């Protein structure tokens, strides 16, 4: 039976019912709906609607229902109830009879669903925070093992300056740490309780909303009933955080797909995260990474869809808001799966240190060092930059690295060059000189690994 049937003399068209009902997706809020209902039953005692004995009877029945739902949430989908609130109420009435009909006194599905969704978002936020921490820790562990593995650094996908594989890993650790920070802030912001806001104007029963918030673990009650039932900022904010983080995951995937290619041959992914070709038996495809990259657009779409849905809604609640859940559930599920898969891609990864070193040496990545050397000899940087550019052209024509040119050949570009130039053209020198905070020098990378480990543990 619908929660709102008294006003109507005709049954809803079955096509409308299918179109209108939300149980097929909001069943995921069952536990939160039950927890919120327990808190509401306690509030009803304080205003004399329920006796202590009645409340205890309701709470016991609700807790039994909660255990059943946790064991088998899909059981809910066998019902023809309109939504999760209807289903919980039907189950409660089946357990305790007419007493179950008293629970909804002073409460609306508007403040009920707002509360359920915030409880779910808060719980899911904690799960995602842990997943981001696990991914960072996995990458820090890989970084720790590859502090001396030289890797060519790129700008414009052109070899630029040498870095290390550890430094590359730690760059993504920083990105995921910002995602973690944003998510933590978003969870803190949504941690306010709408229950007791009624349909839009507040509840007619003089209950302590701060106490209700406290009982549900919220930081405080919301401050305006109109806003409380129509606020979906937390939905969009979580999807926004997810979108930014998916951007980082997609960039990571793109780097690793390139590194895993036959042309680069910097890394080999484990068999556990790759697949083969139905035609070409030699293939080992980075499907996990490609799917991370592909699913990024799906999360962006959920955010864009939600923002378009709410952009012109008048206060307060409108049924359009029912569109908040499917996109949110899908976006956060997808984000979690991609975080987990990214971590798995670092499990069993093989880094071809000989090849990465060779690539770093081949790209004239020590050209900046030669320019700095000339500056130290008194040549203005802009002039030094030009001299080295000409020297690189000469080295390319000869098919050799800068450090492979003879002293006479180097002096042809600038007379200030002496034998001591060779010491600064080594990869080791290039790395060691970048010893400012955040640089690629071994001491700085070791410090960064240590700091990241301490933060995560």
């Amino acid at each position: 039976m619908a929660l709102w049937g008294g006003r109507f003399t005709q049954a809803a068209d079955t096509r409308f019912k299918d179109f209108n009902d939300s149980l097929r997706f909001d069943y995921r809020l069952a536990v939160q709906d039950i927890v919120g209902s327990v808190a509401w039953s306690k509030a009803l005692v304080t205003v004399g609607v329920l006796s202590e004995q009645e409340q205890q009877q309701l709470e016991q029945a609700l807790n039994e229902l909660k255990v059943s739902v946790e064991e088998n949430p899909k059981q809910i989908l066998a019902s023809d109830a309109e939504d999760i609130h209807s289903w919980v109420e039907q189950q409660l009435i089946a357990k305790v009879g007419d007493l179950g009909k008293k629970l909804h006194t002073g409460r609306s599905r508007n403040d009920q669903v707002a509360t359920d969704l915030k409880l779910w978002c808060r719980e899911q936020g904690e799960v995602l925070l842990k997943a981001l921490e696990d991914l960072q820790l996995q990458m820090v562990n890989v970084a720790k093992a590859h502090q001396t593995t030289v890797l060519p650094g790129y700008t414009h996908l052109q070899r630029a300056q040498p870095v290390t594989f550890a430094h590359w890993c730690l760059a993504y650790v920083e990105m995921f740490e910002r995602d973690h920070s944003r998510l933590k802030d978003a969870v803190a912001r949504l941690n306010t309780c709408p229950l007791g806001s009624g349909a839009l104007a507040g509840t007619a029963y003089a209950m302590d909303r701060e106490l209700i918030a406290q009982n549900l673990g919220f930081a405080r009650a919301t401050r305006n009933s109109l806003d409380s039932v129509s606020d979906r900022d937390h939905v969009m904010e979580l999807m926004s955080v997810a979108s930014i983080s998916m951007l980082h995951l997609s960039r990571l995937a793109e780097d690793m797909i390139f590194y895993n290619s036959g042309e680069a041959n910097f890394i080999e992914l484990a068999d556990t995260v790759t697949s083969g070709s139905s035609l070409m038996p030699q293939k080992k495809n980075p499907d996990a990474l490609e799917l991370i990259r592909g699913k990024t657009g799906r999360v962006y779409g959920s955010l864009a869809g939600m923002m378009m849905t709410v952009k012109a809604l008048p206060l307060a609640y409108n049924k359009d808001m029912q569109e908040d859940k499917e996109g949110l559930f899908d976006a956060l599920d997808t984000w979690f799966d991609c975080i987990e898969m990214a971590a798995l891609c670092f499990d069993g990864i093989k880094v071809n240190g000989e090849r990465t070193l060779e690539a770093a040496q081949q790209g004239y990545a020590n050209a900046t060092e030669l320019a700095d050397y000339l500056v130290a000899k008194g040549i203005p940087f802009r002039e030094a930059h030009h001299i080295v550019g000409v020297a690189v052209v000469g080295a390319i024509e000869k098919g050799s690295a800068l450090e492979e040119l003879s002293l006479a050949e180097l002096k042809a570009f600038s007379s200030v060059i002496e034998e001591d130039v060779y010491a600064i053209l080594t990869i080791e020198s290039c790395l060691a000189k970048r010893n400012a905070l955040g640089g690629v020098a071994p001491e700085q990378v070791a410090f960064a690994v240590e700091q990241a480990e301490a933060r995560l543990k």
Side-chain angles (χ1 to χ4, degrees):
M1 182 174 136
L3 300 182
W4 41 265
R7 165 68 175 77
F8 294 80
T9 56
Q10 286 182 293
D13 188 294
T14 54
R15 289 167 296 183
F16 168 71
K17 177 173 169 52
D18 289 342
F19 188 64
N20 181 65
D21 289 1
S22 58
L23 189 68
R24 68 186 184 279
F25 52 85
D26 70 12
Y27 80 92
R28 291 181 63 167
L29 300 176
V31 169
Q32 290 76 22
D33 198 76
I34 293 167
V35 168
S37 293
V38 170
W40 189 249
S41 71
K42 292 176 180 177
L44 289 176
V45 173
T46 67
V47 292
V49 172
L50 293 176
S51 68
E52 291 279 1
Q53 186 178 358
E54 287 175 322
Q55 190 278 326
Q56 287 169 11
Q57 192 178 347
L58 283 172
E59 184 170 352
Q60 182 178 341
L62 286 164
N63 284 333
E64 288 170 2
L65 184 59
K66 179 171 173 278
V67 170
S68 174
V69 163
E70 286 172 335
E71 289 175 352
N72 179 22
K74 293 292 178 74
Q75 65 176 290
I76 302 167
L77 297 174
S79 168
D80 69 345
E82 179 184 347
D83 54 32
I84 191 58
H85 322 298
S86 307
W87 185 84
V88 169
E89 186 164 312
Q90 287 173 9
Q91 298 301 307
L92 190 60
I93 292 169
K95 281 178 175 286
V96 299
D98 285 348
L99 174 59
K101 298 177 182 179
K102 297 175 75 172
L103 180 62
H104 203 59
T105 307
R107 183 174 65 168
S108 165
R109 281 187 297 177
N110 295 357
D111 62 345
Q112 193 175 354
V113 70
T115 304
D116 292 356
L117 195 55
K118 280 192 168 183
L119 286 169
W120 185 88
C121 286
R122 191 175 68 187
E123 290 169 21
Q124 195 63 24
E126 294 302 325
V127 170
L128 286 158
L129 284 169
K130 177 67 167 58
L132 284 168
E133 290 162 14
D134 289 345
L135 173 57
Q136 288 182 74
L137 194 55
Q138 176 76 312
M139 295 190 74
V140 168
N141 287 336
V142 173
K144 195 172 184 179
H146 288 283
Q147 293 181 67
T148 60
T149 304
V150 177
L151 180 76
Y154 293 85
T155 60
H156 309 278
L157 261 185
Q158 304 292 309
R159 291 172 194 160
Q161 290 179 308
V163 294
T164 59
F165 197 79
H167 199 60
W168 174 83
C169 287
L170 292 170
Y172 283 101
V173 169
E174 289 299 310
M175 294 186 208
F176 297 131
E177 179 61 21
R178 291 195 295 273
D179 296 336
H180 188 279
S181 175
R182 270 186 287 268
L183 178 55
K184 198 170 181 181
D185 288 349
V187 170
R189 241 185 312 282
L190 68 83
N191 198 25
T192 59
C193 183
L195 197 56
S197 297
L200 75 162
T203 183
Y205 293 84
M207 49 186 60
D208 185 345
R209 289 192 58 230
E210 290 294 353
L211 182 59
I212 297 171
Q214 183 182 325
N215 286 340
L216 285 169
F218 286 104
R220 62 172 174 84
T222 53
R223 290 189 281 252
N224 182 283
S225 60
L226 277 173
D227 177 58
S228 299
V229 299
S230 59
D231 169 31
R232 293 297 184 272
D233 284 8
H234 47 289
V235 172
M236 290 177 285
E237 188 169 4
L238 286 175
M239 287 197 279
S240 174
V241 174
S243 295
I244 294 171
S245 186
M246 285 298 296
L247 181 153
H248 295 150
L249 287 164
S250 185
R251 293 183 74 182
L252 172 67
E254 175 65 15
D255 266 355
M256 292 179 75
I257 289 165
F258 167 59
Y259 290 171
N260 186 70
S261 68
E263 282 67 28
N265 192 26
F266 292 169
I267 63 171
E268 182 183 347
L269 297 167
D271 291 353
T272 50
V273 291
T274 53
S275 69
S277 164
S278 61
L279 176 66
M280 298 164 283
Q282 83 281 11
K283 295 291 292 299
K284 185 177 178 181
N285 300 324
D287 284 10
L289 294 167
E290 290 172 354
L291 282 168
I292 289 172
R293 190 174 59 184
K295 287 176 185 292
T296 300
R298 177 172 172 169
V299 176
Y300 292 176
S302 296
L303 172 61
M306 185 59 192
M307 293 183 79
M308 289 300 292
T309 297
V310 299
K311 76 173 181 66
L313 291 183
L315 287 174
Y317 183 83
N318 299 271
K319 194 62 177 247
D320 312 50
M321 291 179 181
Q322 185 168 288
E323 289 297 303
D324 58 358
K325 295 170 200 65
E326 288 176 282
L328 174 68
F329 293 161
D330 186 72
L332 297 195
D333 287 349
T334 301
W335 183 23
F336 176 82
D337 289 346
C338 290
I339 294 170
E340 196 171 54
M341 195 51 55
L344 190 60
C345 285
F346 281 91
D347 190 15
I349 192 173
K350 294 177 183 174
V351 182
N352 186 348
E354 290 182 10
R355 172 63 191 136
T356 58
L357 175 60
E358 179 188 20
Q361 290 171 328
Q362 286 175 342
Y364 300 97
N366 53 3
T368 305
E369 307 314 308
L370 182 54
D372 286 342
Y373 171 87
L374 294 174
V375 168
K377 297 283 186 175
I379 296 176
F381 178 78
R382 192 52 58 206
E383 188 179 334
H385 186 284
H386 177 76
I387 291 169
V388 175
V390 173
V392 168
V393 171
I396 290 171
E397 288 174 350
K398 192 180 178 188
S400 65
L402 284 173
E403 64 272 22
E404 291 172 343
L405 295 175
S406 69
L407 182 58
E409 287 170 324
L410 286 170
K411 286 181 83 66
F413 301 114
S414 175
S415 60
V416 302
I417 298 176
E418 301 295 345
E419 189 71 36
D420 60 352
V421 72
Y422 292 105
I424 66 96
L425 291 178
T426 64
I427 291 289
E428 293 76 15
S429 175
C430 294
L431 296 174
K433 283 183 68 178
R434 274 142 186 86
N435 201 26
L437 181 65
V440 77
E443 303 96 298
Q444 287 301 326
V445 172
F447 176 72
V449 167
E450 180 187 318
Q451 291 290 300
E453 275 187 321
R455 185 176 69 238
L456 290 164
K457 288 180 178 176

